[in-house]
Amino acid sequence: MKRDLGRGGIAVHPYRGYGSRREAFVMGRVFHQAALGRKIPHHGLLRDLADVVRRIARRGVAGVRVEASLGANRTTVTTDRDGFFDIHLPLETPLPKALSWHQAELHVIRGEEQVHCHAEVYVPPPETDLLVISDIDDTVMVTGVADGLRVLYRLFVQKAHQRTAFPGVASLYRALHVGVEGEARRPILYVSRGPWGIYEMLEAFFQLNRIPVGPILFLREWGLSWRHPWPRPAQDHKHDLITRMLTIMEDLPCVLIGDSGQQDPEVYTRIVKEHPGRVKAIYIRRVDRKPNRERAIERLQQELAHSDCELILAGDSVAMATHAYRQGWISRADLSAVRQACVDEG
């Protein structure tokens, strides 16, 4: 509604959407962007710190009307008290089947002010054979979520080009995305417990590292304030989101990817039990070798021993790629590419 240019104002930020052939979902936020002083340089540490403060200080604008259209399908919603809008759009008029990415048109209206923008929406093609759902922190990107206060610095201060992807991750995810024939266009959905304020950084990080982009819609509003300076707990955050994805994607089989540092193995095992036959493999990246944690994951492997889902505790991306190749999900050439990437990037 106002071009920023450091002066602040009202900003609209739509996030990548997702859906099926029956329905689509788009989220975004309307917020007040704090102004930056003209004396702050465009580059350097002072500018970085100012940008961090500005992201944290964003204030959502409640009650704003958002009109959305995707193809011939239309609906209207309003922003909540934090400025977020959550669009659920039934697709009564089908979208073109030849496309995976579609463009939703958004009209944001606040009084007499209006802004037009768009959001990308991923809908898997009819022939899709596999859904991939991946954690981000310490699974794709080295974060150290178990390192206490250090994670706050990594979340809010580090820029995309300063962050590190695990060796072979980009090659592995590209292989899973394209499949054996190279044209599968499988959806990759990313989940995280991080705040919406790092969304822009994640977008840049994925593009810089040539990791297949997908909806990164599953971050949450931390709800920070002077009275509550720490993130609010989200005990079932990943479980609820993944369950929602499995419901939307109907009978599509799924691979879950996470890490051993937090509760990914436990959450994923619970999902396997609640949705028999849907999850074909769980890949857990080993980020530490604590004996108690290793034994806990071994017990989960035993719990799944009689299911058709195998839990792989993987030391690197090659171990995941090897299992995926044996299952017929990626090609031999892509397996070799993952191996070489681990050598080059390690």
Side-chain angles (χ1 to χ4, degrees):
M1 294 182 180
K2 293 182 181 178
R3 298 188 65 84
D4 179 42
L5 300 177
R7 295 193 299 268
I10 300 297
V12 181
H13 189 185
Y15 309 125
R16 286 196 190 97
Y18 58 94
S20 66
R21 293 292 159 184
R22 296 181 294 104
E23 55 190 340
F25 299 84
V26 179
M27 284 189 68
R29 193 182 192 194
V30 181
F31 56 87
H32 288 284
Q33 181 79 298
L36 286 180
R38 292 179 177 272
K39 294 183 179 180
I40 296 178
H42 291 290
H43 304 284
L45 179 60
L46 185 59
R47 176 68 185 220
D48 292 344
L49 291 176
D51 284 338
V52 169
V53 171
R54 195 158 65 149
R55 285 199 297 270
I56 295 175
R58 287 175 179 171
R59 293 180 293 111
V61 183
V64 175
R65 192 164 88 250
V66 182
E67 299 176 352
S69 63
L70 184 58
N73 307 282
R74 289 174 170 77
T75 192
T76 300
V77 300
T78 57
T79 58
D80 65 16
R81 64 179 184 178
D82 294 312
F84 289 98
F85 56 87
D86 190 351
I87 298 167
H88 174 206
L89 185 59
L91 300 178
E92 298 176 357
T93 302
L95 301 176
K97 294 182 178 181
L99 300 176
S100 297
W101 286 101
H102 305 266
Q103 194 171 89
E105 302 294 328
L106 305 177
H107 289 273
V108 182
I109 303 170
R110 182 175 184 252
E112 296 182 357
E113 296 178 299
Q114 296 189 32
V115 65
H116 174 265
C117 57
H118 68 271
E120 295 177 305
V121 180
Y122 188 88
V123 177
E127 65 274 13
T128 298
D129 62 342
L130 191 68
L131 167 66
V132 180
I133 301 178
S134 174
D135 182 38
I136 297 174
D137 304 319
D138 284 338
T139 300
V140 174
M141 179 175 64
V142 179
T143 306
V145 293
D147 288 347
L149 291 175
R150 293 181 183 178
V151 71
L152 296 179
Y153 171 81
R154 294 181 180 127
L155 277 175
F156 289 106
V157 180
Q158 277 190 328
K159 292 187 175 182
H161 70 273
Q162 297 171 325
R163 297 169 185 259
T164 304
F166 283 96
V169 159
S171 296
L172 171 63
Y173 282 47
R174 287 197 298 268
L176 288 170
H177 177 62
V178 302
V180 176
E181 302 298 328
E183 298 180 357
R185 292 182 292 166
R186 295 168 179 154
I188 300 182
L189 309 176
Y190 298 97
V191 297
S192 171
R193 294 177 181 177
W196 285 106
I198 65 170
Y199 184 91
E200 298 99 317
M201 180 280 297
L202 289 177
E203 282 189 308
F205 172 82
F206 277 70
Q207 292 170 357
L208 286 171
N209 288 276
R210 299 181 60 236
I211 299 170
V213 297
I216 315 174
L217 299 178
F218 312 128
L219 295 84
R220 60 191 171 95
E221 173 59 20
W222 275 12
L224 303 185
S225 67
W226 290 113
R227 296 182 63 186
H228 300 282
W230 295 103
R232 298 171 184 171
Q235 299 294 337
D236 295 321
H237 180 67
K238 286 186 180 179
H239 171 270
D240 294 345
L241 291 169
I242 294 172
T243 298
R244 182 181 184 184
M245 292 305 100
L246 293 177
T247 301
I248 293 170
M249 300 300 178
E250 298 177 322
D251 297 326
L252 198 62
C254 177
V255 171
L256 301 177
I257 309 177
D259 67 87
S260 64
Q262 292 194 312
Q263 296 298 307
D264 288 350
E266 286 78 6
V267 172
Y268 294 174
T269 298
R270 177 184 170 190
I271 290 170
V272 171
K273 294 177 179 179
E274 293 174 348
H275 302 272
R278 288 295 301 277
V279 182
K280 299 306 180 183
I282 297 173
Y283 297 149
I284 298 296
R285 182 178 296 279
R286 180 189 279 118
V287 295
D288 58 47
R289 294 183 176 273
K290 297 178 181 179
N292 290 342
R293 190 65 182 133
E294 298 266 323
R295 286 192 290 270
I297 294 175
E298 288 175 3
R299 288 193 292 271
L300 296 175
Q301 289 174 318
Q302 293 170 5
E303 290 181 23
L304 297 178
H306 301 293
S307 72
D308 59 354
C309 174
E310 190 172 359
L311 192 160
I312 306 296
L313 182 58
D316 56 24
S317 300
V318 173
M320 302 181 198
T322 300
H323 182 271
Y325 170 70
R326 291 173 179 168
Q327 299 300 309
W329 297 331
I330 69 174
S331 68
R332 179 183 292 273
D334 282 335
L335 173 59
S336 298
V338 175
R339 286 174 173 158
Q340 187 60 49
C342 285
V343 172
D344 296 341
E345 300 166 11

